[in-house]
Amino acid sequence: NAGVMQNPRHLVRRRGQEARLRCSPMKGHSHVYWYRQLPEEGLKFMVYLQKENIIDESGMPKERFSAEFPKEGPSILRIQQVVRGDSAAYFCASSPGDRENQPQHFGDGTRLSIL
Amino acid sequence: LAKTTQPISMDSYEGQEVNITCSHNNIATNDYITWYQQFPSQGPRFIIQGYKTKVTNEVASLFIPADRKSSTLSLPRVSLSDTAVYYCLVGDIWTSGTYKYIFGTGTRLKVLA
């Protein structure tokens, strides 16, 4: 999945710590999406952002989770006070956003493990 | 956003053609159909997208009947490296204002030697 860069690829946190996941979209893409995947399941939509704007966060848990896509720099998914249930793979995708029905391109994800 | 239904798993042998059918009875007029492939520990990889009839690229073909209530992904002459999970998605950005992909459990294709 060349183009969309996510880091770190693996992240280990203890319960109560904060996790920060970063996503750099493909060059020329201004729309970013975050998804979460549990083992043996499909990806679940979390949030859709454009530069400096959250467009749709209907899939985000109401507490502890936040996302941003600043004017400069990568998009950040932030999870505060992590719990065991936050363990999952988190994928970021991007699209140009200015043309009809352009598919999303995904990164290889960040695997978050909570001890 | 239309819900999709796919077979949970399929087995095939190397060199065979594999057809994976997806049902999307509630597809909307503006919806496109998109297929992704996912290997373990990787993100989904775009395979093909179409609206109607037939679309072909270097890796696959997508057949969509006139009523658009289903679609079939065709992989010609599969190899062991095609073993993966395949997802069928429908959606449209302009009608809903967002492009919120809904992933089902996908189809686990296992290619045997």
Side-chain angles (χ1 to χ4, degrees):
Chain A
N1 293 303
V4 178
M5 302 302 295
Q6 291 188 247
N7 67 83
R9 288 296 311 276
H10 301 274
L11 182 61
V12 179
R13 285 287 178 268
R14 297 189 181 278
R15 282 177 292 173
Q17 292 185 321
E18 177 180 285
R20 282 187 178 232
L21 288 61
R22 295 175 184 77
C23 169
S24 295
M26 285 182 68
K27 186 177 181 180
H29 287 192
S30 59
H31 293 219
V32 166
Y33 316 79
W34 285 93
Y35 294 82
R36 177 165 61 178
Q37 186 176 36
L38 296 173
E40 307 301 315
E41 294 185 10
L43 284 71
K44 296 287 192 294
F45 169 83
M46 298 181 74
V47 62
Y48 164 36
L49 310 103
Q50 297 176 21
K51 283 286 187 181
E52 300 184 280
N53 286 304
I54 296 175
I55 307 303
D56 180 352
E57 57 181 346
S58 58
M60 289 273 275
K62 293 290 186 283
E63 298 178 347
R64 302 187 298 108
F65 285 71
S66 62
E68 63 177 9
F69 188 18
K71 186 176 180 180
E72 301 290 337
S75 176
I76 306 289
L77 179 67
R78 181 183 179 201
I79 310 173
Q80 295 178 292
Q81 299 174 324
V82 295
V83 301
R84 288 257 171 87
D86 297 331
S87 295
Y90 292 84
F91 291 96
C92 167
S94 71
S95 69
D98 58 349
R99 283 164 284 168
E100 186 172 341
N101 289 302
Q102 288 294 307
Q104 296 173 25
H105 295 270
F106 287 81
D108 279 336
T110 293
R111 275 144 191 86
L112 176 63
S113 298
I114 309 301
L115 301 180
Chain B
L1 293 163
K3 181 180 177 181
T4 60
T5 303
Q6 306 174 230
I8 293 175
S9 63
M10 294 179 68
D11 288 348
S12 180
Y13 289 94
E14 280 189 294
Q16 289 187 331
E17 177 184 80
V18 171
N19 296 309
I20 305 175
T21 297
C22 177
S23 297
H24 27 80
N25 292 319
N26 296 323
I27 190 168
T29 302
N30 294 329
D31 283 346
Y32 274 64
I33 300 156
T34 309
W35 285 81
Y36 282 83
Q37 174 192 56
Q38 187 179 26
F39 298 112
S41 301
Q42 294 186 22
R45 184 171 71 100
F46 171 78
I47 301 175
I48 197 166
Q49 183 181 65
Y51 183 80
K52 62 180 179 181
T53 62
K54 178 183 175 181
V55 180
T56 297
N57 62 22
E58 63 275 10
V59 297
S61 295
L62 179 60
F63 298 92
I64 306 169
D67 67 6
R68 303 200 329 121
K69 293 184 183 298
S70 66
S71 59
T72 299
L73 174 72
S74 181
L75 304 173
R77 297 180 298 282
V78 294
S79 63
L80 294 176
S81 63
D82 292 317
T83 295
V85 178
Y86 293 82
Y87 294 99
C88 163
L89 309 168
V90 296
D92 163 64
I93 187 172
W94 301 112
T95 299
S96 64
T98 63
Y99 212 153
K100 187 188 304 182
Y101 280 153
I102 297 178
F103 285 80
T105 53
T107 297
R108 292 185 175 277
L109 173 65
K110 186 175 182 180
V111 179
L112 307 170

